[in-house]
Amino acid sequence: MPTPNPKDAMLLVTRATLADGREQQCVLIEAGRFKAIAPDLRPPEGCEVLDAQGYLLSAPFVDAHFHMDATLSHGLPRINQSGTLLEGIALWGELKPQLTQDALVERALTYCDWAVAKGLLAIRSHVDVCDERLLAVEALLHVRDKVKPYLDLQLVAFPQDGLLRSPNALVNLKRALDMGVDVVGGIPHFERTMADGAQSVRILCELAAERGLRVDMHCDESDDPLSRHVETLAFHTQRLGLRGRVTGSHLTSMHSMDNYYVSKLLPLMREAGLHAVANPLINITLQGRHDSYPRRRGMTRVPELLAAGINVGFGHDCVMDPWYSLGSADMLEVAQMGLHVAQMTSHQGMRDCFDAVTVNNARVLGLAGYGIEVGNAADCVLLQARDPVEAIRLRANRLWVMRRGEVIARSPAAAAALSLPGRAATVDWTLPRTADADGPHA
Ligand SMILES: [Zn+2]
């Protein structure tokens, strides 16, 4: 197994398959950056060599939507009995006064350990600013600094109880931004009226424009076909020149909207340069709860958004918190659920789902120098799979994870020992590559 690599050392990864289909590639890393990528590089003298054995060397996973202040709090102070979004919000309200900074920091750091082990090296997390003490903001700013050498944590000031509905939310949100929180958040569908929701979108977009910040709102997270906040978000993005800096998260109401209206909405979103983030595990779990049968899936229209030229990412949203009692920082689990819920089973659709947890999310966060290209920071993950589709199918094992040219996590290869007459002694669930990379998967 590889040993940790000093930052100024050279390292050659051999026999790697890249996400774009190039096989048998050598990747030379020097001083924490990708220096050369070609099929036949020779290791310079004294250079450590890592054999990728034909497996997929991918840029690290990125999560565009998470709640690190709530993660790993499952069961505190009680379990969500109904499993609904609204009971989750109520439960979080019960938990907030009991939170301590030490416990918040400890849980967040534990989650970051899980993330690194799964090759997830950049996370955008919302942080609730409706608690007067801003305890969670302080805790996550501390965590952001602490994990910086190995994980990019971007924080969103999130008025969970409503910007206008909750007293002092706007004042607290500005305090959080003053303290160094990166992105302006919002939750227009949780305001008292549609008009208040629209006003909150305007106020928050203007605030972001004044401060030169990005925006990421929980937007239209309901089954209401008449929810219209993403239209308002696109309007103010366009009006204020925030193109490429604004994200609508969830957008679940789009699932239920009238098709004619959506045909008008998609070009408006495209024109404004909005990013969209779906949260497949949470959307399929929390939406449609007021339906009998047929029961709506509730996830936004991912293939249609992509076809309209809109950047779509997938977020994990929740792991073991008041809203969701499962999850393990595995963005391939997120991709797999997104693929199923959106029925993205074409070869291109499956690859799009891999992009939704890697490069598309990197665009949402505005990460500079992301990807396995010469000159970029040497951040990557070796997956025990031959291509992105197989990675999703297997929720592939992360053989090793690299940050700035240093291996920071390793997992043993996943395999089972067999005792069957006339059969191989081990099985590892991967298949040798057959046809060309763009052909049907064998
Ligand atoms: Zn969320």
Side-chain angles (χ1 to χ4, degrees), residues 65-67 126 158 218 221 249-250 279 317-318:
H65 189 110
F66 195 63
H67 293 265
H126 296 256
F158 175 48
H218 286 64
E221 188 184 2
S249 281
H250 289 293
N279 295 295
D317 200 1
C318 301

Side-chain angles (χ1 to χ4, degrees), residues 43 59 80 83 137 141 145 148 189 201 241 264 275 277 326 343 370 373 413 416:
N80 181 337
V137 173
L141 284 168
D145 282 348
K148 199 173 185 169
H189 57 275
V201 172
K264 178 193 170 196
H275 303 278
V277 171
L326 302 172
Q343 301 179 329
Y370 172 88
E373 284 172 34

Side-chain angles (χ1 to χ4, degrees), residues 176-198:
L177 296 176
D178 291 341
M179 288 162 71
V181 169
D182 309 278
V183 178
V184 177
I187 185 164
H189 57 275
F190 199 69
E191 304 293 351
R192 288 191 178 88
T193 63
M194 200 64 80
D196 272 6

